[in-house]
Amino acid sequence: MTGVCGCCGALRPRYKRLVDNIFPEDPEDGLVKANMEKLTFYALSAPEKLDRIGAYLSERLSRDVARHRYGYVCIAMEALDQLLMACHCQSINLFVESFLKMVRKLLEADKPNLQILGTNSFVKFANIEEDTASYHRSYDFFVSRFSEMCHSSYEDPDIRTKIRMAGINGLQGVVRKTVNDDLQSNIWDPQHMDKIVPSLLFNLQSGEGTESRSPSPLQASEKEKESPAELTERCFRELLGRAAYGNIKNAVTPVLMHLDNHSLWEGKTFAVRCFKIIMYSIQSQHSHLVIQQLLGHLDANSKNSATVRAGIVEVLLEAAAIASSGSVGPTVLEVFNTLLRQLRLSVDYELTGSYDASGNIGIKIIKTHEERQLQEAVIRTIGSFANTLPTYQRSEVMLFIMGKIPVPGVHPALTNAGSGGCEGIRMIQIMLLKSLVQVTTGFQTTNMLTALPNSFLEPLLSFSLMEDPEVRLLVLTILLSVIDRHDNTPKFSSISIISDISVLKLKVDKCSRQDNLFMKKHAQQLYRHIYLACKEQSSGPQHFETLYTLLALISMELANEEVVVDLIRLALALQELAQTNEESLSVYNRCAVHALSAAYLNLICQLTTVPTFCQHIHEVIEMRQKEVPFLLPEDVFIENPKLPASLEKLEGDVLFQQSKITEVLGGSGYNTDRLATPYIPQFTDEDRLSKRKSIGETISLQVEVESRNSPEKEEVRRNTNTSEEITFETLKNAIGKYQSNTFPMFLMMKFSLSALPRPPPSPSGTISSGYGQTQSRSVPVYEMKFPDLCVY
């Protein structure tokens, strides 16, 4: 029988003989290339035999693995690789099944070299684009096995590194093979992502010392490319770059879970690195999905430690900076609502010392300094998000944040919260105003009416009446950011007497029609709040410097002739405030107000370019330098102010004279009637926020001030001999007459109506921007005098 079998050896199928012939007697000699070419030609000529070739090779490989004949194992895998590369027929699927069976056999072996050999073959296979689809092939085993190899703990560090890198390459191969194949099990399913992503992050973390090079690691040296961390980053980027809209969540969720499970938020560095890779790798239009997941994760960790929440916020900050202008996505206000909610929660935790709203002692110890760091991080993040928004959306965010600021008296529940509640209100006010500072930084608008609408400006100015100096300073900073459209603010960072403002290289544009309308509507509000801010005993050097900058910016950004006149009146009123000292201000504050007035008048006289005006201002300043230098900014706004023990009432040439200024400006066409009238602020109901006057006192004071001191009232007094006040009842009765009378009766009423007060006419004049540019001023319709017969 033995002889018979030997004789029948030549009768074995040809494909088996061709396969046998590729194996040399000594495995050290390697694959017999000539015979391999014959086998490849046969497979291409008879593709129906390809599956049998694969099955036979698989049989031989299994036998060689069992017998530890690893040389022949390598030859078998090399042959399989070459056949895969050469054949793309419809029968390839059955051959692939045999191939994957052999790869699986190698990956299950204990020998690291066999695992690496199997992985390399799989990676080659993954790079082949098959002509036919496979309906039944599964890669679940390979995902699990490669993920396991990524966590290898082999004793020898060199071999451990090779196994881990093989696992990373294998996962990359699985992704390439399945990500675009609709017939395969979805690689983006959580069951796969929960294995792939943590395996990659585990290896990425081992190279945490090297900063991520965004957006691509192509510049790495050859040595770096060989490290698991670099290979992982490359693989991770490829995975994220292939993620479609619906797959982003499944790809990012395991990252969040990994950072949670290994307490990696607190260190921040690795978490930030991970999300830098994510944000640079995904398609830019999907950025907002990552942002939304991070915000949701922040909410889910609301009762976690401040360091964890701060880590998430820092990641949000970096992500927003990287993302495109559409990073916030469709739910703009929801993004800011989440951040503001976290800000408020942090303030509550800091004040109560507990994560439990009922006041019970929390399990975790709340550290005040950690909560403060979190609050600052949230505020910076709000600013980072705002910088990605177009102007109109940023304006919406400004209004949204303003609506969140608690106002005592408007929110009764807040007012009655007790001493702890009052401190909480104060802290929330400061935090939200700091957020507004971040949002308005770099804000650019061409229309001040839309940038500062009533719904934003009025509550903002209300906070400038608060007793808290920090709140008032934040309000002034916000105003500077919105008004400054030419980056002039840094040029007024300190108050000083500048002999020639041309050295500042100020940028001044012609005042637009919208700016004129804005000042018509809101100028008196701005002047009033500047005046009242100077009356505050708690105002310090920063307040006066900011007020000086605000006056300067109004002069350059929003000034026409009427505005210039009012600003000069305001500066003279500040001098009178410090002179009479009805508010019992300290010596420092009185000197500071004098210095502020002098510095501003020095600036505005050079902007108007009226020589006689400039001469008067400079004469007074020179006199002060000789006799009372403590009334100038150089002696006041320094570290150790040079102040007298007391400040007596000043007289003579050290004061700016309103009569003299009226005379010199009147000769240049300015409104002398208005210039000659001392400025007195118009009080409103907002003063109830200052907790200094009741509403009744405020209204009575307002009526008194308006009836005695307004320029408009003076003209009415000159034109008519009546002292009748225009009250609500007067207007109500007038309207009733219109409703009940016929047209002929209207003609009889014209004389009484023509006695109504009108603003004084303003002569046509010009204001210079400091560079020889002039601005013409037209008289508004409501200031024109019409013939009596035309008034009904």
Side-chain angles (χ1 to χ4, degrees), residues 56 138 315 417 690:
Y56 184 57
S138 173
V315 170
S690 67

Side-chain angles (χ1 to χ4, degrees), residues 448-449 452-454 457-458 461 517-527:
M448 200 59 67
L449 280 171
L452 287 174
N454 279 340
L457 184 61
E458 290 184 3
L461 292 177
L517 291 174
F518 173 81
M519 291 305 287
K520 284 291 181 188
K521 192 172 184 180
H522 298 296
Q524 295 304 320
Q525 282 179 287
L526 293 172
Y527 305 152

Side-chain angles (χ1 to χ4, degrees), residues 221-235:
S221 66
E222 290 299 322
K223 185 175 181 180
E224 287 179 323
K225 286 184 178 179
E226 294 299 321
S227 71
E230 292 295 331
L231 179 61
T232 299
E233 183 175 334
R234 196 155 49 252
C235 179

